């Protein structure tokens, strides 16, 4: 059997993307509550999200959304890692900026545990990409648009996007 480099790289990226999702799932979580969500986009679905990013960038005059959309378009796959936004029910915490979970819920705040857990999950995921020498970059812009177009469903409250590529030079550096 003959395997060309293009096929090898595409298959590896999908394998790494899947492992990144597993790493996000198994990352430590506050109070052991798992609110992490993961999705992988490729091909038309990935490019459709890039199109949305570019439109928003143009409509709102946000140049880095347009730049990031190009990175997504040129990536082989896109990993989305998000979190549901829930409450842990802790009486004495206040990490979210409110006195307790009841006040946070009344004022529609975000639990610090959900956001911290998401950060740990993203860190675990990108370490898998780095260990496998797959170029990646964590992007707020991708997550913001994925959230707006409901890519991960109604349960997602915050999302980050991680495009993946194996080019001769990382497309995520020397960006204009």
């Amino acid at each position: 059997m003959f395997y060309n480099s293009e096929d090898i790289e595409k298959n590896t990226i999908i394998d790494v993307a899947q492992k990144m999702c597993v790493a996000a799932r198994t990352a430590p979580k506050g109070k052991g509550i798992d609110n992490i969500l993961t999705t992988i986009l490729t091909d038309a679905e990935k490019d459709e999200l890039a199109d949305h990013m570019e439109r928003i960038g143009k409509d709102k005059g946000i140049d880095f959304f347009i730049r990031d959309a190009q990175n997504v378009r040129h990536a082989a796959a896109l990993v989305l890692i998000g979190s549901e936004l829930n409450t842990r029910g802790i009486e004495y915490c206040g990490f979210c900026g409110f006195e307790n979970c009841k006040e946070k819920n009344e004022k529609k705040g975000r639990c610090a545990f959900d956001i911290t857990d998401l950060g740990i999950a993203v860190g675990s995921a990108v370490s898998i990409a780095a260990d496998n020498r797959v170029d990646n970059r964590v992007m707020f812009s991708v997550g913001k648009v994925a959230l707006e177009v409901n890519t991960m469903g109604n349960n997602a409250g915050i999302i980050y996007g991680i495009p993946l590529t194996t080019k001769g030079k990382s497309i995520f550096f020397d960006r204009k």
Side-chain angles (χ1 to χ4, degrees), residues 19-29 34 36 38 120-121 124 128:
K19 289 176 180 173
M20 290 171 67
C21 291
V22 170
R25 169 72 56 231
T26 61
K29 299 175 183 73
D34 183 10
I36 297 298
T38 63
I120 294 167
S124 292
I128 297 297

Side-chain angles (χ1 to χ4, degrees), residues 73-121:
R73 197 170 276 111
H74 292 116
L78 176 65
V79 174
L80 300 175
I81 303 176
S83 180
E84 297 177 11
L85 298 177
N86 291 310
T87 297
R88 300 300 192 280
I90 301 171
E91 290 301 315
Y92 184 69
C93 172
F95 284 177
C96 62
F98 299 101
E99 184 177 337
N100 54 38
C101 294
K102 181 181 178 196
E103 183 182 356
K104 176 201 71 79
N105 289 341
E106 289 170 358
K107 296 188 177 171
K108 299 188 179 177
R110 293 182 178 207
C111 178
F113 283 98
D114 290 329
I115 294 166
T116 301
D117 290 351
L118 178 58
I120 294 167

Side-chain angles (χ1 to χ4, degrees), residues 5-170:
S5 61
E6 186 177 310
D7 292 337
I8 293 166
E9 291 165 12
K10 184 174 183 177
N11 291 338
T12 298
I13 285 177
I14 297 303
D15 180 57
V16 168
Q18 292 171 342
K19 289 176 180 173
M20 290 171 67
C21 291
V22 170
R25 169 72 56 231
T26 61
K29 299 175 183 73
K31 290 195 75 181
I33 297 171
D34 183 10
N35 290 324
I36 297 298
L37 306 166
T38 63
T39 300
I40 300 168
L41 301 179
T42 62
D43 304 320
E45 289 77 15
K46 174 187 64 69
D47 292 342
E48 185 178 318
L49 186 64
D51 291 343
H52 285 293
M53 292 175 66
E54 193 168 318
R55 259 194 305 280
I56 288 170
K58 288 178 181 175
D59 290 349
K60 297 188 179 292
I62 307 171
D63 291 339
F64 77 90
F65 272 59
I66 299 167
R67 178 203 64 204
D68 291 355
Q70 290 299 339
N71 281 158
V72 169
R73 197 170 276 111
H74 292 116
L78 176 65
V79 174
L80 300 175
I81 303 176
S83 180
E84 297 177 11
L85 298 177
N86 291 310
T87 297
R88 300 300 192 280
I90 301 171
E91 290 301 315
Y92 184 69
C93 172
F95 284 177
C96 62
F98 299 101
E99 184 177 337
N100 54 38
C101 294
K102 181 181 178 196
E103 183 182 356
K104 176 201 71 79
N105 289 341
E106 289 170 358
K107 296 188 177 171
K108 299 188 179 177
R110 293 182 178 207
C111 178
F113 283 98
D114 290 329
I115 294 166
T116 301
D117 290 351
L118 178 58
I120 294 167
V122 168
S124 292
V126 297
S127 73
I128 297 297
D131 288 348
N132 286 276
R133 306 305 177 258
V134 173
D135 292 330
N136 66 90
R137 187 167 186 126
V138 178
M139 294 184 176
F140 144 82
S141 57
V142 174
K144 177 69 173 162
V145 174
L147 195 60
E148 286 184 16
V149 299
N150 203 29
T151 304
M152 295 184 79
N154 293 331
N155 291 337
I158 186 168
I159 303 170
Y160 286 102
I162 310 166
L164 305 174
T165 187
T166 54
K167 307 281 185 194
K169 180 177 180 338
S170 176

